[in-house]
Amino acid sequence: MKYISLLIVFLFQTLGLQAQEIPLGHWRDELPYNQLVAITESDDFIYAATPYSLLSYNKKGGVLDRISKVNGLSDFGVSTLNYDVNHKTLLVAYSNANIDLIKEGQVINLSDIKRKAILGNKTINDIFFIDQFAYLSCGFGIVVVDIEREEIKDTYYLGDQGENVEVFDLDILGDELFAATAKGIYRANKNNPNLANYSNWIKLNHLPFPDDPYNHMVAFHDYLVVNRLTNVKGDQLFAVTGNTWIEVFSHMEDKTLNLDVSKEQLFISHNHSVGILNTDFSFNRELISYNLENEITPQPGAVLKSTDGNYYLADRQQGLMISSDLQVFQSALLNGPYTTKVFDMDVVGSKVVVASGGRDESFGNVYLKDGVFVNTEGFWENINRSNTPALDTVYDFVCVAINPNNPNEFAVGSWGKGLFTFNENGFVEAYGRGNSSLTPNSTYGHIMRLGGVAYDSKNNLWVASAESNALLHKREPSGKWTAFEFGAWSSYNIRDMLVDNHDYLWMPVRIGGAYSLLVFDESQSTNQQLKGLNSAKGYGNIPGSQVFSLANDLDGEIWIGTDEGIAVIYQPENIFYGGNYDAQKIIVERDGYAQYLLESEKVKVIVVDGANRKWVGTERAGIFLLSADGQDELLHFTMENSPLYSNNITSVGITDQGEIFIGTDQGLIVYKGTATTSNKDGFSDIYAYPNPVRPDYFGPIAIKGLTHDAFVKITDISGRLVNEIRSEGGQAIWSGENLQGNRVQTGIYLVFIANTDGSESMVTKIMFIH
């Protein structure tokens, strides 16, 4: 059992403001909160589960909060939840069978089921409370949790001879406990002291289909309403009492997603509607629209009639829908990306653009149509086929580039459907055959696979076309297109593109060819523009067989992430102008032994921050922060020691304010780093935060608006030196301590700042309060 201290704001204060600046060293989730799958309530709050995390809604204040691994949950990926009013405990079940009990500001983690070796499915489908116990409907049986003792009490296996059988739902009618399973419905007396004995569970053989799967049930007046899961379009509902049953007409020939009740109504959630029945099972009406603007079609996951008199619907696309009469609804929705899919990402300034498509291991399509997610000043706009008709048939956006000279302009490449450009007003143009030089796949003429896009210093947009007749294409600001053909090289699969300080184009190649990396310089003569690099000495010395990532650091060096760690080309200009351009592995000392940096890892991402440090994302080991030369490991985050959802990092981007957007195969999360983009034109808008430093704050203090490697001296009001530091990119970090490592006293402290050559200086102040 593990206790995790939960932030005070967890259930009481707003955490949902996307644009809110987070403190240094803290995290913020960037998850979709529109996809609700379960709902429950306490006296004051509505709680809803997404497939990833939770949200809470204050019934009196109308405030939405986010609840995730960032602010206290033990895990990622929620399957269901329920609130026990008697013990004031929220029980959260995760898709990996982990469990959290949340009570009085604490999270108590019960990982027994997760850790236990159980054959078959361990999914927790439903949670039902009786007295002090929570009965969990699991993929193998029933698990009983003692809420008061905070421990697993028992496990019931219901199948013949005690075999595993999946339990979908539980409910109680009178003294009988009923279980809806994959092999029929079982019942047992809830007061039987030996429910762990399978022989005490009796199958309801009088039902028309006693051995079929039943996946939902609910007690409604004197009946137990059960749903028979069928292989045809619609399911079947039965109302059971004693040894008799009647079939319930649900009005919709559709699959049943959930059953919920109020005192006088039965709610049947279908794919795109809610059927409402009266106590005698007569049809009341059908909810097929929320009557909002555009008449949004419901996609209900569950319906709750609250103690405050309102109805709350957990919608699978629209978030939390609220109504007092089931006639007119209002939406309560937290802003966020459309889905958790993050394949590629680009960041310029404070603008973040995410491409949500994908490719499989053999570079085939996965046909994701989630679109493009754009974060501007903290607010997400999702662009996809639901709001942009031009994207109706488009799938697998795999590469994105923002124009560094005009962050409102960006381009996104599809692995199959060509190029798409956008500006501050949204979609601008779709480029393909007929209106550009882009050429289709050489084998399948209707497919146009773009592996990389990038803008150079002259605002030219470059596009790498995989498996086509022309490897490269350039669109000039005037709109003119030019294709660059390189014979057999044009048939390569290009996985990415980087433009460096020299306007060279760097393109990793999929495994299988003679080269793992191609480099292009338009300024060279025609037959010398493209060079191929491989693992041979004198020809690149690229480690491993695959290049996954590239970065151009602040010194002009090219960092290369491969399936065998990292290598660096220190003089990339030598590729075209003569001299050694072989990549060099970095030798580091770890545990007293010399070894190559991350040589056993697939390095999927390398991004450079404002202090020239390297953020390195891997496939299995999470994300590292390395010193500028790669020698020192400054930070290492994994899902085990941080709020990261997964150790598989897919993409990383850094804003000018030092927010590290980390894409994983489970979604997007943000970490506030210490380095910001430096001001190349001198000091600008210098300030310190937090300021004043209050008695309850013991974190780092940032001094912002600096130039790279600026000198910072901190003195007391009398001019005595307190501390001195150097900026990391555009900001310096002070611990609030003096040179002896002691916390400074109450007072005003002067901050003297000078750039590296001493030609410019500034002064600001920081107030400490004890």
Side-chain angles (χ1 to χ4, degrees):
M1 183 184 302
K2 181 173 67 173
Y3 285 79
I4 303 174
S5 179
L6 197 62
L7 298 178
I8 297 298
V9 294
F10 171 46
L11 299 178
F12 303 98
Q13 296 180 0
T14 300
L15 298 174
L17 298 178
Q18 293 293 95
Q20 184 178 4
E21 188 170 21
I22 55 176
L24 295 169
H26 285 65
W27 299 80
R28 181 180 71 239
D29 76 71
E30 295 287 358
L31 293 168
Y33 281 88
N34 61 318
Q35 305 168 28
L36 304 186
V37 295
I39 192 168
T40 188
E41 71 172 331
S42 67
D43 292 339
D44 299 318
F45 292 91
I46 300 293
Y47 300 107
T50 78
Y52 325 105
S53 56
L54 311 179
L55 64 81
S56 70
Y57 177 80
N58 187 309
K59 290 189 279 189
K60 294 180 180 178
V63 176
L64 276 174
D65 293 345
R66 59 191 63 240
I67 307 171
S68 71
K69 195 178 177 187
V70 167
N71 57 354
L73 294 186
S74 300
D75 218 323
F76 178 83
V78 178
S79 61
T80 190
L81 83 170
N82 204 356
Y83 186 83
D84 181 8
V85 176
N86 295 325
H87 295 88
K88 299 190 182 305
T89 299
L90 180 66
L91 195 154
V92 181
Y94 299 95
S95 54
N96 61 6
N98 206 357
I99 298 169
D100 277 345
L101 303 178
I102 303 175
K103 54 171 74 172
E104 298 181 356
Q106 274 192 325
V107 175
I108 302 95
N109 181 237
L110 305 180
S111 59
D112 305 59
I113 308 175
K114 175 185 176 181
R115 292 184 286 105
K116 188 175 181 180
I118 298 174
L119 292 177
N121 179 11
K122 294 201 294 184
T123 301
I124 300 173
N125 297 311
D126 190 68
I127 303 165
F128 186 74
F129 295 107
I130 303 177
D131 301 324
Q132 72 186 68
F133 302 109
Y135 291 76
L136 311 184
S137 302
C138 301
F140 55 88
I142 298 171
V143 173
V144 184
V145 177
D146 190 322
I147 301 298
E148 292 182 354
R149 297 173 63 90
E150 300 168 359
E151 64 184 18
I152 302 295
K153 176 181 179 290
D154 215 338
T155 302
Y156 306 155
Y157 299 98
L158 309 189
D160 295 339
Q161 305 304 312
E163 68 178 4
N164 290 8
V165 61
E166 181 163 14
V167 179
F168 295 107
D169 205 351
L170 287 163
D171 214 315
I172 192 169
L173 189 64
D175 288 332
E176 297 291 319
L177 181 62
F178 293 85
T181 81
K183 296 184 177 180
I185 294 177
Y186 291 80
R187 72 178 175 187
N189 189 294
K190 74 178 182 67
N191 299 313
N192 191 312
N194 192 20
L195 291 179
N197 186 337
Y198 72 91
S199 64
N200 288 319
W201 290 86
I202 309 301
K203 183 181 286 190
L204 300 189
N205 285 315
H206 68 280
L207 285 176
F209 305 92
D211 299 321
D212 279 13
Y214 289 81
N215 60 344
H216 300 292
M217 63 167 46
V218 66
F220 186 50
H221 289 264
D222 296 329
Y223 291 89
L224 184 74
V225 181
V226 299
N227 183 74
R228 173 180 169 251
L229 184 64
T230 72
N231 293 322
V232 296
K233 181 180 178 181
D235 290 344
Q236 273 187 301
L237 278 181
F238 297 100
V240 182
T241 181
N243 291 319
T244 64
W245 59 269
I246 58 172
E247 184 171 0
V248 176
F249 178 61
S250 66
H251 187 70
M252 280 288 293
E253 291 185 0
D254 200 356
K255 309 306 288 184
T256 299
L257 302 184
N258 210 0
L259 298 175
D260 298 286
V261 298
S262 68
K263 289 183 179 179
E264 303 301 326
Q265 294 171 315
L266 172 66
F267 303 101
I268 309 159
S269 295
H270 298 294
N271 281 314
H272 297 287
S273 67
V274 177
I276 304 172
L277 303 186
N278 300 315
T279 55
D280 61 356
F281 301 113
S282 61
F283 180 71
N284 183 303
R285 65 189 184 88
E286 185 179 17
L287 178 66
I288 58 174
S289 171
Y290 288 134
N291 290 322
L292 298 173
E293 199 172 322
N294 301 324
E295 296 202 352
I296 297 171
T297 300
Q299 296 187 50
V303 181
L304 172 69
K305 176 66 180 296
S306 172
T307 55
D308 69 0
N310 286 324
Y311 296 90
Y312 294 87
L313 273 69
D315 193 278
R316 305 191 310 278
Q317 283 297 325
Q318 304 300 328
L320 188 64
M321 306 300 296
I322 308 169
S323 176
S324 61
D325 57 5
L326 291 177
Q327 301 285 342
V328 178
F329 287 82
Q330 64 178 11
S331 173
L333 182 64
L334 286 170
N335 179 247
Y338 184 65
T339 69
T340 59
K341 303 300 182 183
V342 184
F343 190 84
D344 192 32
M345 181 185 345
D346 197 21
V347 178
V348 172
S350 62
K351 193 181 196 72
V352 181
V353 182
V354 173
S356 68
R359 290 184 296 245
D360 61 25
E361 289 295 322
S362 61
F363 271 52
N365 286 101
V366 293
Y367 299 104
L368 287 172
K369 297 182 178 181
D370 295 341
V372 182
F373 317 146
V374 183
N375 187 293
T376 306
E377 300 294 337
F379 183 84
W380 287 100
E381 178 187 7
N382 299 301
I383 306 172
N384 53 43
R385 56 182 175 167
S386 68
N387 53 31
T388 306
L391 303 184
D392 183 53
T393 62
V394 181
Y395 50 81
D396 290 343
F397 283 126
V398 296
C399 51
V400 58
I402 303 173
N403 187 343
N405 298 312
N406 177 16
N408 288 325
E409 176 186 353
F410 62 93
V412 188
S414 165
W415 196 249
K417 289 291 187 175
L419 178 73
F420 299 81
T421 60
F422 303 82
N423 62 20
E424 65 273 19
N425 297 316
F427 171 73
V428 176
E429 188 75 53
Y431 290 102
R433 205 170 187 173
N435 66 345
S436 73
S437 64
L438 294 173
T439 52
N441 180 282
S442 54
T443 303
Y444 306 100
H446 63 286
I447 294 176
M448 195 169 294
R449 290 176 168 168
L450 306 185
V453 290
Y455 290 90
D456 67 17
S457 63
K458 304 179 186 66
N459 285 337
N460 296 313
L461 173 61
W462 291 89
V463 183
S465 183
E467 300 176 345
S468 68
N469 297 323
L471 180 74
L472 279 172
H473 303 262
K474 180 179 73 170
R475 192 203 68 179
E476 299 176 28
S478 66
K480 178 184 176 182
W481 281 86
T482 304
F484 295 80
E485 299 181 8
F486 297 101
W489 291 30
S490 294
S491 65
Y492 277 38
N493 264 315
I494 302 299
R495 68 163 78 234
D496 201 358
M497 181 188 287
L498 169 76
V499 174
D500 71 5
N501 297 344
H502 307 284
D503 274 345
Y504 297 171
L505 305 183
W506 298 74
M507 295 167 284
V509 179
R510 180 190 171 197
I511 187 172
Y515 305 103
S516 59
L517 185 60
L518 302 180
V519 188
F520 171 84
D521 179 13
E522 186 185 17
S523 68
Q524 303 296 319
S525 58
T526 302
N527 61 348
Q528 295 295 319
Q529 289 177 319
L530 190 66
K531 300 287 186 180
L533 279 60
N534 57 30
S535 60
K537 289 187 176 181
Y539 294 91
N541 195 36
I542 309 296
S545 59
Q546 296 183 76
V547 173
F548 291 108
S549 55
L550 296 162
N552 181 31
D553 79 0
L554 301 184
D555 295 327
E557 300 166 356
I558 301 298
W559 287 61
I560 304 170
T562 77
D563 56 345
E564 293 184 8
I566 292 175
V568 184
I569 297 179
Y570 291 99
Q571 294 179 295
E573 64 275 7
N574 288 352
I575 293 175
F576 294 101
Y577 293 99
N580 180 23
Y581 59 84
D582 275 355
Q584 306 296 316
K585 286 188 173 183
I586 298 173
I587 299 176
V588 296
E589 184 178 324
R590 297 287 187 267
D591 301 322
Y593 295 94
Q595 57 188 268
Y596 290 121
L597 178 64
L598 298 176
E599 64 176 334
S600 63
E601 299 295 339
K602 285 185 180 180
V603 176
K604 304 287 287 296
V605 189
I606 305 176
V607 180
V608 180
D609 71 11
N612 207 27
R613 304 175 305 182
K614 281 68 183 182
W615 289 84
V616 178
T618 67
E619 185 175 72
R620 300 175 304 170
I623 188 167
F624 298 81
L625 174 60
L626 306 177
S627 60
D629 59 5
Q631 289 292 324
D632 299 317
E633 181 183 301
L634 307 177
L635 292 171
H636 179 202
F637 295 127
T638 67
M639 61 185 296
E640 290 75 26
N641 69 8
S642 77
L644 270 183
Y645 320 132
S646 167
N647 289 331
N648 186 357
I649 309 300
T650 60
S651 188
V652 177
I654 304 177
T655 69
D656 56 1
Q657 295 303 307
E659 290 196 338
I660 320 299
F661 280 71
I662 304 170
T664 76
D665 62 350
Q666 297 295 318
L668 190 62
I669 193 168
V670 177
Y671 175 80
K672 185 59 179 290
T674 57
T676 64
T677 303
S678 60
N679 293 316
K680 297 179 181 178
D681 299 328
F683 300 132
S684 174
D685 298 325
I686 291 179
Y687 66 96
Y689 81 95
N691 192 11
V693 181
R694 302 191 182 279
D696 58 349
Y697 182 77
F698 294 91
I701 300 150
I703 303 158
K704 306 186 69 171
L706 311 184
T707 56
H708 185 63
D709 270 349
F711 296 95
V712 179
K713 290 183 182 291
I714 300 165
T715 74
D716 61 20
I717 200 69
S718 302
R720 289 175 296 203
L721 182 65
V722 173
N723 212 325
E724 51 187 351
I725 49 181
R726 296 287 291 272
S727 67
E728 296 177 353
Q731 80 180 1
I733 305 300
W734 180 34
S735 64
E737 298 173 343
N738 58 26
L739 291 170
Q740 290 73 44
N742 300 317
R743 187 79 168 169
V744 299
Q745 298 300 311
T746 295
I748 295 175
Y749 293 84
L750 304 178
V751 182
F752 296 90
I753 307 155
N755 59 5
T756 52
D757 62 7
S759 62
E760 189 176 358
S761 62
M762 291 286 289
V763 180
T764 189
K765 298 177 183 179
I766 300 175
M767 176 180 285
F768 262 81
I769 304 172
H770 281 297

